[in-house]
Amino acid sequence: MSILVSALIIGLIGLVVGTFRTRFRSRSRRSARPAVDPWVRDSFVPAAYGLVPREVLDAGRAGPAQPLHRLKEMQAVADSAWSGDWRPAAAYVAAAGDDWDERWSRTEVLQQIAGDDDAWLEAWRSEQPDNGDAATLHASMLLHRAWEIRGSEYAHKVPAERMNQFQAMLPQSMTAAVDASRIDPRNPGPWVVMITAARALSYSHNQFRALWAGLTARAPYHYSGHWQALQYWCGKWHGSDRLMLDFARLAVERAPAGSPMAGMYLHALRELDGRGGTGGARARKSRELLERVAWSLGQVAPDNEALPRLRHLLAHYLLEARSHDAALEQFRLIGRWCGAHPWNESDDPVAAFDHARGLAAKGAKRQAHDKGTATMPL
């Protein structure tokens, strides 16, 4: 299988890392032809504001492609696994060491590789029954397969047969995750699986908090762990808007330098938009908090996988909050890429993105940018 094909497979992981995610559901598709501001249509010149020209805008991705050396590394792991050799996969995930976000991200890559052919994983588990990475990947696979059967619809839309099968498979994945946590007590990965399964198993708040304490004792700033917990606390699962927003605000307050964890507040706003269309209204009440999110994300390494999609959400909600200068800066950093939410909710993501950055330019206090085009790499 070529590097390109494998890259497409691996791209299914998404840049907001985490598995078993229910897909975001918009209340309705954005208009294919939204109302266009006359100034943006007639007077907006992107280069005057440090923005890339319209002609190079690209809705194919949210941000720059992964470096070729990383794609080649993943390709080599995939090729070895598909040929029956699990050792490169084991070395690949172990090489992340105690960078738990990276270790989880690599576990998700292995999950994609094992999606259609997991014989190599079974061989790995057979030959190394006490390997925590193999045990974690096995637990993750069990939960992922259960979620694939359920699908991404709301519960009342899932056929009873599929829902029953989903519910029957969940305890097995939870047991496998608990077993993995005993094999490798330091690794937070099994706990990410546990808190995800707990959501589907309808754990009480106290039961969930016990699992959450187990995860955060091992990795207090685990990005995917926080995303899964945010889902538990949202209104469509076992919490409410207030509980979800409180959790997201706390993530912003606690996010350490270099972590994308402050982006949880953006995910919370998106969740509000998906269920009731109130994310924009909440953003307008949260301007200072959004600007704090912007500052925090500004400390994150440019090659962080979560960053591009978070910047798109941040630019959108800063614009909703009428923080035009801050939104414009995000559009400069985003550069040419516009294949992300919310622009891809439109029939024409390029036009939606360009119109939004034009509105940011119109509202910005400084009507021209004298620092050049400080954008993300092309």
Side-chain angles (χ1 to χ4, degrees), residues 23 40 68 83 146 149 155 177 328 357 362 378:
R23 295 175 185 172
V40 175
L68 183 59
S83 68
I149 290 170
L328 186 59
R357 64 183 191 153
K362 179 183 179 183
L378 297 180

Side-chain angles (χ1 to χ4, degrees), residues 12-281:
L12 294 174
I13 298 169
L15 295 178
V16 180
V17 183
T19 52
F20 333 116
R21 297 176 176 181
T22 51
R23 295 175 185 172
F24 179 77
R25 305 170 180 86
S26 298
R27 287 183 304 152
S28 61
R29 206 174 158 78
R30 291 177 184 267
S31 170
R33 295 184 179 181
V36 176
D37 183 280
W39 182 89
V40 175
R41 181 190 61 217
D42 301 330
S43 303
F44 173 47
V45 180
Y49 300 89
L51 300 167
V52 299
R54 293 185 180 92
E55 294 75 21
V56 303
L57 293 179
D58 188 339
R61 290 197 302 266
Q66 291 196 57
L68 183 59
H69 71 88
R70 293 202 66 179
L71 292 177
K72 287 182 175 179
E73 181 183 25
M74 290 185 284
Q75 178 69 58
V77 170
D79 287 343
S80 295
W82 292 327
S83 68
D85 185 1
W86 52 266
R87 289 171 182 79
Y92 174 70
V93 70
D98 289 349
D99 183 341
W100 300 120
D101 278 335
E102 176 64 17
R103 199 170 186 117
W104 180 254
S105 178
R106 292 182 179 219
T107 300
E108 289 191 306
V109 170
L110 297 188
Q111 179 175 291
Q112 296 297 321
I113 293 171
D116 294 325
D117 179 5
D118 65 352
W120 61 272
L121 173 57
E122 294 308 309
W124 182 12
R125 293 181 60 228
S126 177
E127 293 189 43
Q128 291 190 333
D130 294 330
N131 185 288
D133 291 322
T136 299
L137 179 56
H138 171 63
S140 177
M141 289 294 297
L142 290 173
L143 186 54
H144 180 73
R145 286 168 179 162
W147 219 278
E148 281 188 327
I149 290 170
R150 181 197 184 280
S152 61
E153 296 290 345
Y154 286 105
H156 69 277
K157 293 185 178 180
V158 180
E161 181 180 355
R162 278 169 41 199
M163 183 62 79
N164 290 339
Q165 189 175 358
F166 171 63
Q167 292 291 337
M169 294 172 71
L170 291 172
Q172 185 181 7
S173 65
M174 178 66 83
T175 299
V178 172
D179 290 343
S181 73
R182 290 170 179 160
I183 292 172
D184 189 359
R186 294 178 59 248
N187 189 348
W191 296 84
V192 178
V193 179
M194 281 188 259
I195 67 168
T196 308
R199 182 170 91 236
L201 287 166
S202 299
Y203 272 34
S204 70
H205 289 184
N206 286 338
Q207 287 175 307
F208 183 84
R209 288 189 179 102
L211 293 180
W212 181 243
L215 171 59
T216 55
R218 291 158 177 81
Y221 312 117
H222 199 287
Y223 183 81
S224 287
H226 275 77
W227 194 94
Q228 296 294 349
L230 184 79
Q231 289 297 301
Y232 177 89
W233 290 116
C234 78
K236 72 170 180 261
W237 284 100
H238 306 297
S240 64
D241 290 349
R242 180 183 63 80
L243 289 170
M244 176 186 68
L245 288 168
D246 286 348
F247 178 85
R249 289 190 194 97
L250 194 59
V252 177
E253 293 172 6
R254 293 180 175 176
S259 168
M261 201 172 78
M264 289 304 128
Y265 192 71
L266 305 174
H267 290 306
L269 294 179
R270 187 182 176 190
E271 179 65 34
L272 292 178
D273 271 339
R275 290 186 298 104
T278 59

